[in-house]
Amino acid sequence: MSTGYRRIPSVDRLLSDARLRALAVEASHDTVAALARERLEDARRGVADGVPPPPLDELVYDVCAQASRLLAASPSAVINATGVVLHTNLGRAPLSDAAAEAVARVATSYSDLELDLYDGTRGSRQAHVSSVLRRLTGAEAALVVNNNASAVLLALSAIAHGREVVVSRGEAVEIGGGFRIPDVLNRSGAVLREVGTTNRTYAADYEDAICAETGALLKVHSSNFVITGFTHEATVDELVEMGARHGVPVIHDLGSGCLLDTARFGLAHEPMVQQSVTASVDLACFSGDKLLGGPQAGIIVGKREAVSLLAAHPLARAMRIDKLSLAALTATLVHYLKGEAVEAIPVWRMMAAPLDGLEAAARRLQEAAGGIGSVERGLSTVGGGSLPGETLPTWLLTVDAGDAQALAARLRAGEPPVVARIEDDRVVIDPRTVLPGQEEPLARALRAAAG
């Protein structure tokens, strides 16, 4: 055996270190022992590749660090200082206080998830949310699954399996995470029938494609990109009228799922769910954790007959929403019923934040962080595959610390972690997405990272 191998301690020797003995009390002996064996095996592979064996202190440190990562609550809460309201990498929409409380109630107790408390018989989890969705959107029926990709897949599988689905070539899109409409169509068992061109598709293009094999007309909202210039697209109303004449259902993938008019916040108008329902689409699908401001969910509203087909499909159970998301979603929707969405739902509260309030927040933050940086005008974005290219005026705290990447890394490594953005080699803090109660810990994090 080479000298390098002999210098690697045994498992027992490593575990006898006082630091690992203390760690075994906090975690468990079996967990710490397994981590120690894995680290020693890594060391042996390193020696085989010509790497010197690590000293004992390094091995102990590595085992402790791995245990800390393994045992830490995850995902971690972070401060979003990027100004991106719906930041996909940061979990998109934060929940309202009422939605978070609803999750806690259901998580720590039994619930009437699938029990009718009135007569004691088995109920449906959909009953908790379907009546609220019907009232908010005007739809005849509603169904909720675990995300919008599932909603679209379920709709296509139940409505058009083995048949053609007509979609504009400009709407055969890909959104985040590699979700591609053509791939979803193939997985659903439907057959893609593209019509028109990338930038211009007319109602007549759909009409020419309808035949005995047509299972549905699909309209997809381009949530995360904009085509400008010489463009045209068929309207939802045109497709619904056409579908009614030919007996072909119309499915509208709305993506973000907006119940409020975004134009009132100085943004471009985002297609609203109520408009699709009023146009009499058979099915409208949208997300729960984007502009709706709730948890991850796929929401389907539309005509009773079409929704019933989806509810009876075998995939519906595989895609069903869990009790925690259901509780959060119902609480979020109730805010809309009460007319308090802008005040209660964080996403809308952020987008409605007054400019003078954002300036005051940026200056408070600068002062609390020791006077670092400068307060300047800037722009926030909606993000999350919603309203691409749209911005909101804001005020920023910008910090020029020499190495912006290093400062941003120190902020992310702090407690709590702070995620900022970098512009012109400066770290930028946008108070729009800093939640109530986070200003003080953000100021502490800035002082520590900049110092």
Side-chain angles (χ1 to χ4, degrees), residues 83-216:
V84 181
V85 177
L86 292 169
H87 199 304
T88 299
N89 296 346
L90 302 184
R92 290 187 181 148
L95 297 178
S96 71
D97 291 342
E101 290 164 7
V103 171
R105 284 196 303 271
V106 171
T108 57
S109 176
Y110 293 104
S111 68
D112 62 339
L113 178 66
E114 293 186 351
L115 176 70
D116 188 325
L117 292 176
Y118 178 74
D119 60 16
T121 60
R122 179 166 184 167
S124 167
R125 66 183 62 201
Q126 299 293 336
H128 298 279
V129 71
S130 59
S131 60
V132 182
L133 282 167
R134 292 198 306 270
R135 187 167 295 276
L136 284 172
T137 66
E140 295 177 359
L143 180 71
V144 180
V145 292
N146 59 357
N147 62 23
N148 193 46
S150 294
V152 175
L153 178 60
L154 178 60
L156 294 170
S157 300
I159 299 294
H161 183 85
R163 306 183 71 189
E164 290 185 354
V165 173
V166 184
V167 63
S168 166
R169 185 166 281 107
E171 296 174 8
V173 301
E174 175 181 336
I175 62 172
F179 176 77
R180 293 182 169 188
I181 290 296
D183 293 343
V184 174
L185 275 160
N186 290 334
R187 293 293 182 182
S188 72
V191 179
L192 174 64
R193 180 71 182 274
E194 288 184 304
V195 296
T197 63
T198 302
N199 60 318
R200 293 178 75 82
T201 303
Y202 298 89
D205 294 320
Y206 290 85
E207 185 111 40
D208 291 343
I210 293 176
C211 63
E213 297 302 314
T214 303

Side-chain angles (χ1 to χ4, degrees), residues 68-81:
S68 178
R69 288 190 293 269
L70 185 64
L71 300 175
S74 185
S76 301
V78 305
I79 295 177
N80 176 12

Side-chain angles (χ1 to χ4, degrees), residues 228-315:
T228 60
F230 191 59
T231 63
H232 184 86
E233 63 179 85
T235 67
V236 172
D237 288 324
E238 287 175 324
L239 296 185
V240 168
E241 186 276 330
M242 187 187 309
R245 280 192 287 108
H246 292 278
V248 176
V250 176
I251 302 171
H252 192 188
D253 176 10
L254 283 156
S256 288
C258 193
L259 295 179
L260 298 181
D261 186 358
T262 50
R264 64 187 274 200
F265 303 96
L267 297 163
H269 176 73
E270 179 82 354
M272 296 169 65
V273 179
Q274 302 95 312
Q275 293 173 321
S276 291
V277 172
T278 299
S280 293
V281 299
D282 293 85
L283 296 170
C285 307
F286 55 99
S287 295
D289 59 347
K290 295 183 180 178
L291 288 174
L292 190 73
Q296 177 179 299
I299 304 169
I300 306 159
V301 297
K303 295 181 179 177
R304 186 173 294 105
E305 182 179 356
V307 174
S308 296
L309 288 175
L310 273 61
H313 194 279
L315 281 177

Side-chain angles (χ1 to χ4, degrees), residues 9 13-21 23 32 35-36 39-40 54-67:
R13 170 69 186 89
L14 185 56
L15 291 175
S16 67
D17 184 276
R19 290 162 290 183
L20 293 192
R21 290 203 309 272
L23 181 61
V32 176
L35 293 173
R39 182 62 187 92
L40 291 173
L56 180 66
D57 276 350
E58 182 179 328
L59 292 170
V60 171
Y61 175 84
D62 290 346
V63 172
C64 290
Q66 180 62 20

Side-chain angles (χ1 to χ4, degrees), residues 36-61:
R37 291 189 188 94
E38 291 169 7
R39 182 62 187 92
L40 291 173
E41 184 58 34
D42 287 341
R44 293 186 189 97
R45 283 194 291 267
V47 170
D49 293 336
V51 178
L56 180 66
D57 276 350
E58 182 179 328
L59 292 170
V60 171
Y61 175 84

